[in-house]
Amino acid sequence: MSTAWWQDAVVYQVYIRSFADGNGDGIGDLAGLRSKIDYLAGLGVDALWINPWYPSPQADAGYDVADYRDIEPDYGTLAEADQFLAEAHAAGLKVILDIVPNHTSSEHAWFRAALEGDEAARARYIFRPGRGEAGEEPPNDWESVFGGPAWRRTTNADGTPGDWYLHLFAPEQPDLDWSNPEVRREFEDILRFWFDRGVDGFRIDVAHGMVKADGMPDAGRRDSLSNNTEPHPAWDNDGVHEIYRAWREVAEEYPHKPIFVAEAWVPSNERLALYLRPDELHTAFQFDFLRAPFEAAFMKETVDDARSAVAAAGGVSTWVLSNHDVVRHVTRYARSQPDGPVESVWDRLRWSSEPAELELGVRRARAATLFVLALPGTVYLYQGEELGLPEVEDIPDEARQDPIFLHATNGDVGRDGCRVPLPWGSGTSAGFSPVGAATEPWLPQPDWWASYVADGQSADPSSVLNLYRAALALRRARLGEDDTFEWVAGGSPGDGYVAFRHGAVECWINTGSAVVPLPAGDVLLASSPLGADGSLPADTAVWLIRG
């Protein structure tokens, strides 16, 4: 059966600021990214997702966009971006960009004009009078994802207090008003600008957030807007679907059929499936594994729930173990298994002080990687996971830059620990910057970072890097065209293991403590050595074909 490229693709996420520094200024850039195209093609991925590369004051790592039609000067130029697109395509790699439509930077020309009194510009954002006798209280009780009220008061030209503007994230990220047709036309034009340059699609940041509930009612007190699992008037309102139907029409104008991927934190996979209707978006991230414990029954339940929800909309599942917003899965798996519902797992693992057993974490991460790579659908890999990188948890407070840390009142250290610049080889910055570079990386690298360098792992047949290369090659050769799927063993509470068949290949994973006998057959790949009798040890996964 023939499938579209994105339906079974492996997509590599590039957090460009931390990927590779080509000019020695301590910041990742297009020159560094272009120097690694052969590495990425050799890894065996099908596409690259580039985190925001637009001009930005970097209040939120580029998710505060000042100009959607240019390149951040720290990263390079628009001409270099065109060269990168051509080189990636020549290497057989598709390129997906991030688009940030919920909000702009406060330095965007539109918002600057709004603050200067331009009524047309003001109408593109969400300004409201405050509550209270003198408008001294925010218009509603919404809280920012990064902590504190989601509103900031402006100052009038005469120095008196003015209206408030909405910022569901940092104050430097004012929310756009998507009920304004001008906003909608502008973003459709932005899509065409990049599709004209050959971009293969967009990952939509905060895809569930652009349309707010009528009247923007109070939400009631809750722990956080972030990663919500219950309805909220700021999120997942049905009006977003009209926007995406218009975007799909834009994409369909192009012969290369660019795609859309939603980052949509919604209460259920059933709500997520609404984004995947045939005239809307192509895929959406399913974040269940970001919060799932390393436990076979839970993993089976997660897969079943995700697959059934997207099947109802005719979509395909997406699988991800790590990204730029969460603790790296090596470290998550290096701690004892959390109890309770998935909602509580997220908070516990964000800033847990429990010591991490990294050897255990790496072993489990290797097994989980084989598990998700064997599943039908799209898989997203986060840069550095192919090196087995753990979270860097001891970044000095004075070096942290994430607005979550800067605004938090609950001890949340934020996301800098998964964004530390990558270790590629020798040198003072573990090969992140050119040899002899005088500038330190923008986030500090730990001394032990050099033990994970890609150059060293390439020469080690048992390394995490070579496991990824082998798994990706086998996935492409054995699993690319056959999406048949069935569970074949285990998966009940207490079993400690589960197995499924995708096409002719079976994947078995043992998350328990007892060894698991395997059926007779040809072993294609194992995450760790099997027992002398061919059994499956704890914290290990294997791909096999029955004899």
Side-chain angles (χ1 to χ4, degrees), residues 436-447:
T439 305
E440 293 293 322
W442 72 281
L443 279 175
Q445 298 167 307
D447 292 339

Side-chain angles (χ1 to χ4, degrees), residues 128-140 149 151-154 161-164:
R128 295 290 186 273
R131 297 192 289 197
E133 291 186 6
E136 71 278 7
E137 297 178 6
N140 64 27
W151 297 90
R152 171 162 287 194
R153 198 169 193 185
T154 61
D163 286 343
W164 300 70

Side-chain angles (χ1 to χ4, degrees), residues 88-388:
H89 287 154
L93 297 169
K94 306 286 188 181
V95 178
I96 299 169
L97 301 184
D98 239 312
I99 192 165
V100 188
N102 180 70
H103 47 262
T104 71
S105 166
S106 57
E107 294 299 311
H108 192 284
W110 278 8
F111 193 71
R112 293 202 310 269
L115 293 183
E116 292 169 1
D118 184 321
E119 289 301 322
R122 186 180 173 89
R124 299 166 188 149
Y125 294 89
I126 300 176
F127 285 88
R128 295 290 186 273
R131 297 192 289 197
E133 291 186 6
E136 71 278 7
E137 297 178 6
N140 64 27
D141 67 354
W142 294 3
E143 295 184 359
S144 163
V145 168
F146 295 155
W151 297 90
R152 171 162 287 194
R153 198 169 193 185
T154 61
T155 302
N156 295 322
D158 62 2
T160 59
D163 286 343
W164 300 70
Y165 70 86
L166 179 68
H167 61 88
L168 289 175
F169 293 83
E172 298 86 357
Q173 295 168 292
D175 279 49
L176 288 160
D177 186 347
W178 276 84
S179 68
N180 186 330
E182 189 175 0
V183 172
R184 300 194 181 202
R185 288 193 297 269
E186 169 70 0
F187 274 84
E188 288 172 17
D189 189 68
I190 291 167
L191 297 178
R192 290 188 176 96
F193 176 86
W194 291 105
F195 290 158
D196 287 344
R197 309 185 95 85
V199 166
D200 298 291
F202 282 99
R203 175 262 193 188
I204 306 168
D205 184 60
V206 196
H208 56 301
M210 288 121 80
V211 174
K212 281 63 175 177
D214 290 344
M216 296 194 298
D218 283 349
R221 189 70 182 173
R222 59 190 67 204
D223 292 337
S224 174
L225 281 172
S226 179
N227 311 315
N228 54 295
T229 56
E230 60 184 90
H232 188 287
W235 302 134
D236 190 33
N237 290 289
D238 289 338
V240 298
H241 300 292
E242 179 184 345
I243 296 169
Y244 296 137
R245 284 191 286 272
W247 284 21
R248 184 63 174 260
E249 290 179 4
V250 172
E252 293 298 321
E253 297 171 6
Y254 288 83
H256 66 292
K257 301 301 182 188
I259 69 160
F260 295 110
V261 184
E263 181 219 24
W265 293 94
V266 296
S268 67
N269 275 320
E270 288 73 26
R271 288 294 300 176
L272 190 67
L274 299 178
Y275 292 76
L276 306 180
R277 288 174 286 197
D279 60 346
E280 294 191 39
L281 307 179
H282 299 76
T283 64
F285 285 109
Q286 292 172 286
F287 295 119
D288 306 81
F289 277 121
L290 296 181
R291 298 175 287 181
F294 187 78
E295 199 278 313
F298 196 105
M299 296 166 83
K300 179 180 183 294
E301 180 183 351
T302 297
V303 171
D304 283 340
D305 183 45
R307 281 175 50 80
S308 63
V310 299
V316 298
S317 296
T318 59
W319 314 107
V320 55
L321 292 172
S322 285
N323 66 25
H324 65 294
D325 284 332
V326 301
V327 173
R328 286 185 178 274
H329 60 279
V330 164
T331 299
R332 298 201 311 267
Y333 293 152
R335 294 194 165 108
S336 60
Q337 299 301 287
D339 298 321
V342 69
E343 292 88 344
S344 68
V345 176
W346 179 276
D347 292 332
R348 182 180 183 276
L349 293 178
R350 168 72 82 184
W351 58 86
S352 173
S353 60
E354 178 186 333
E357 299 179 39
L358 290 183
E359 184 176 345
L360 174 64
V362 170
R363 186 178 178 91
R364 287 175 170 173
R366 291 170 66 108
T369 295
L370 288 197
F371 184 82
V372 298
L373 284 176
L375 290 167
T378 307
V379 180
Y380 282 79
L381 309 178
Y382 178 49
Q383 66 177 40
E385 72 170 78
E386 80 278 14
L387 304 178

Side-chain angles (χ1 to χ4, degrees), residues 307 376 482-486 501-504:
R307 281 175 50 80
D482 190 340
D483 63 355
T484 58
F485 178 89
E486 63 175 331
R501 182 183 297 114
H502 176 190

